[in-house]
Amino acid sequence: MNKNAWREKFLLNEDLNFLLTNRIPRVAATRFMGWFSRIQSPVLTRLSIAVWRLFTDLDLSEAKQQSFQSLRDCFTRELKPGLRPFDPDPAVVCSPSDAIVGACGPIDGTDVLQAKGFPYPLRELLRSEDMAQRMQGGRYTTLRLTSAMYHRFHAPHALAVDRVTYISGDTWNVNPIALKRVERLFCKNERAVIECRLPGLGDAPLILVPVAAVLVASIRLHWLNILLHLRWPGPNVIPCAASMAKGEEMGWFEHGSTIIVLTPPGLDPVPGIESGVRIKAGQALLRQRADGSQAGQSEAV
């Protein structure tokens, strides 16, 4: 059996996949990986990458550097300049990261979906009834980053960051198998709620929620200059005053995980954006309606 056939057999065996990625001491395994990934050893790093490639389609041809001192350096690698251009149209909100599109749709009511038949309350994800109400009438888009993908994420539009709320939690895997089995998974895992405004769209609200997962429980946000992780003591609510240009790097995960993008009313998905589609950072995700309605007009207050 060749490598790809073996890998596909493992990935498609849902019971085995769930057992090996979730029925383990998740937090302990995640802390161990955090320690292991920082070991400075080119030889160990090359061996680790070779093992990593047994389970993924890891492609480092776009990486700015081709040799790494640690596994963490590979996880958080930069790309060669110009490989992720952002759509310059001010009416377009772009994908903040490379990803596979997961559940997505309108925010109509109190719940959104993590997978078919598996809703979760938006207020529980955000830990705020007020924030959930502000996003009513908008859209949610779930972006899943696989472990082999580029792990940095960028501003999807010119924006101002007002507040970050760090929520410590569990480290369930966030692959489709787990999303079909673990209720309210995104509400259980470690995450950061990044509250933004879109000055170019009437100061309409936009919220990004990077969600950590098993083996990845560290989120770096550049403007905070701290590493948010399971042992970080807080404070949990961090006021900000950061402005970012469209496409500017916001931060990174230290492995692979999920970003939930909550956008205001008045934006519709561009053709082709649907569950299961692979997209890249900078690709158009949503567009302001052609009828001229402003994104901020119908937002809840």
Side-chain angles (χ1 to χ4, degrees):
M1 184 182 295
N2 64 37
K3 182 183 77 170
N4 288 336
W6 175 86
R7 185 171 62 207
E8 287 302 314
K9 184 176 181 180
F10 166 73
L11 293 175
L12 294 175
N13 187 320
E14 292 198 4
D15 291 334
L16 179 61
N17 184 296
F18 187 80
L19 175 67
L20 294 180
T21 60
N22 289 290
R23 296 308 185 191
I24 59 174
R26 293 181 300 274
V27 172
T30 300
R31 287 175 175 168
F32 170 80
M33 180 55 72
W35 167 79
F36 181 82
S37 69
R38 285 172 169 77
I39 296 175
Q40 297 283 312
S41 170
V43 174
L44 181 61
T45 299
R46 286 196 296 271
L47 290 173
S48 299
I49 290 173
V51 173
W52 188 6
R53 280 182 160 139
L54 293 176
F55 296 92
T56 69
D57 292 317
L58 179 64
D59 180 4
L60 299 177
S61 63
E62 294 184 324
K64 187 176 180 179
Q65 64 186 79
Q66 292 297 306
S67 60
F68 305 96
Q69 294 297 310
S70 69
L71 199 54
R72 176 188 174 279
D73 289 344
C74 186
F75 288 155
T76 62
R77 62 192 178 273
E78 293 183 80
L79 299 185
K80 296 172 184 175
L83 290 182
R84 294 295 185 274
F86 272 63
D87 190 316
D89 188 341
V92 166
V93 172
C94 296
S95 173
S97 67
D98 289 11
I100 300 171
V101 178
C104 52
I107 301 172
D108 183 15
T110 60
D111 292 352
V112 295
L113 294 177
Q114 70 180 33
K116 186 176 181 180
F118 266 63
Y120 63 90
L122 192 57
R123 66 179 181 278
E124 192 172 320
L125 174 76
L126 303 174
R127 293 280 181 92
S128 169
E129 181 72 42
D130 176 65
M131 268 192 277
Q133 287 298 321
R134 274 189 281 143
M135 302 315 297
Q136 287 297 310
R139 298 190 67 87
Y140 72 99
T141 307
T142 308
L143 302 175
R144 182 170 67 89
L145 290 73
T146 68
S147 65
M149 286 179 173
Y150 170 59
H151 298 98
R152 298 185 177 229
F153 51 95
H154 302 253
H157 198 277
L159 53 80
V161 182
D162 293 329
R163 186 181 299 106
V164 174
T165 302
Y166 170 72
I167 303 169
S168 186
D170 210 325
T171 56
W172 289 95
N173 198 336
V174 292
N175 67 10
I177 294 169
L179 292 176
K180 290 190 296 183
R181 295 186 178 206
V182 182
E183 291 188 36
R184 301 184 177 185
L185 189 155
F186 294 138
C187 301
K188 296 176 179 179
N189 273 19
E190 180 199 16
R191 57 201 182 275
V193 178
I194 307 172
E195 297 176 64
C196 309
R197 288 176 290 107
L198 302 173
L201 295 176
D203 261 355
L206 178 142
I207 298 175
L208 301 175
V209 187
V211 182
V214 66
L215 305 184
V216 46
S218 295
I219 302 168
R220 167 71 74 177
L221 300 175
H222 288 312
W223 65 93
L224 295 182
N225 197 32
I226 55 176
L227 187 65
L228 301 174
H229 57 83
L230 291 172
R231 293 177 175 172
W232 192 65
N236 290 329
V237 179
I238 310 167
C240 305
S243 296
M244 296 197 167
K246 193 176 197 178
E248 186 175 345
E249 186 178 305
M250 298 183 76
W252 64 68
F253 291 108
E254 301 219 339
H255 192 55
S257 196
T258 293
I259 300 176
I260 300 169
V261 183
L262 305 175
T263 47
L267 297 170
D268 294 320
V270 301
I273 296 297
E274 57 188 26
S275 182
V277 170
R278 285 180 175 260
I279 59 176
K280 292 185 175 181
Q283 184 176 334
L285 192 65
L286 302 109
R287 180 182 295 275
Q288 189 176 17
R289 289 175 188 153
D291 62 8
S293 60
Q294 296 297 309
Q297 281 183 341
S298 58
E299 68 193 67
V301 295

